[in-house]
Amino acid sequence: MSTSPKQKILIVDDEPDILELIEYNLKKEGYQVYTARNGQEAVAEAKKVQPDLIVLDIMMPKMDGIEACRIMRTMPEFKTTFMVFLTARSEEYSEIAGFNVGADDYIAKPIKPRALVSRINAILRRNSTPEEVTDNKLEIGDLVIDREAYLVYQRGEKVVLAKKEFELLYLLASKPGKVYTREVILKNIWEDSVVVTNRTIDVHIRKIREKLGENYVSTVKGVGYKFELA
């Protein structure tokens, strides 16, 4: 088995066939799998089992996935738990709503088991990648990001970024694959400055891409940005 049996996943969906399909494939990978059929059950079960990752359908009876995620994110024990939305809805607003309440990722139905397992494996690896060394450096792919010197090395070549460009890159690269909303970026990099707008973020992203290339930072339409593992 390719994963630790200690890793626990809670699957929440009101369709028994979906629960069974996901549960079967994740157990094959060595995960401990728990299930719930609506948002209320999800909150209660999560409190009981303390999962490492929760996969939530959006459209469910009694309490939908958005509300369940919002509630759990207010609880200290779930501040860092991975939350992934599973939904058949393709409207952009539902994806934005999910990220706004604290989702880490988004998986669309119909379920493709191998793709689902691969995505979940990658999400759970985010805790251990990239390697963060003791002298405030991130080594990820062909980049070394030196926080003390505010320098980036790409394939051994030094790349100089402006201070805010560097801070933005470091934030995104600290958790590859995680989507950072514009609100979170503003709060972390510009500390809610009233003079900074979304346009400011876009300009800094453009400058990073000009200096490093297009392959590192990707746009999640209507939501924000994420760092892509090469």
Side-chain angles (χ1 to χ4, degrees), residues 43 63 81 132 166 191 197 216:
V43 175
M63 182 189 293
T81 303
E132 188 163 2
F166 178 91
E191 298 178 349
T197 66
Y216 299 100

Side-chain angles (χ1 to χ4, degrees), residues 56-125:
L56 286 155
D57 188 30
I58 286 187
M59 298 300 293
M60 294 184 292
K62 295 186 180 180
M63 182 189 293
D64 66 24
I66 298 286
E67 180 64 10
C69 180
R70 187 193 66 75
I71 289 171
M72 286 187 282
R73 282 301 192 212
T74 67
M75 301 176 181
E77 62 265 43
F78 301 120
K79 287 290 186 184
T80 59
T81 303
F82 289 113
M83 305 266 189
V84 178
F85 278 111
L86 180 70
T87 181
R89 300 179 66 180
S90 59
E91 292 93 335
E92 185 179 291
Y93 78 85
S94 66
E95 184 169 345
I96 295 170
F99 285 122
N100 283 341
V101 295
D104 294 288
D105 215 329
Y106 196 92
I107 300 173
K109 294 179 181 179
I111 301 297
K112 296 178 180 177
R114 294 170 96 183
L116 175 77
V117 168
S118 177
R119 180 82 68 88
I120 286 175
N121 287 342
I123 291 167
L124 285 167
R125 281 198 302 268

Side-chain angles (χ1 to χ4, degrees), residues 12-16 19 36-38 57 59-61 109:
V12 190
D13 199 298
D14 61 331
E15 298 182 50
L19 285 179
R37 298 198 177 191
N38 59 61
D57 188 30
M59 298 300 293
M60 294 184 292
K109 294 179 181 179

Side-chain angles (χ1 to χ4, degrees), residues 214-229:
E214 301 283 334
N215 297 328
Y216 299 100
V217 179
S218 62
T219 303
V220 180
K221 187 178 178 184
V223 181
Y225 296 97
K226 65 178 178 177
F227 188 94
E228 294 282 13
L229 279 169

Side-chain angles (χ1 to χ4, degrees), residues 198-212:
N198 285 336
R199 176 64 181 155
T200 303
I201 299 174
D202 296 338
V203 169
H204 281 72
I205 292 292
R206 178 169 56 80
K207 292 291 187 181
I208 291 170
R209 287 170 172 163
E210 286 174 359
K211 294 174 181 180
L212 294 177

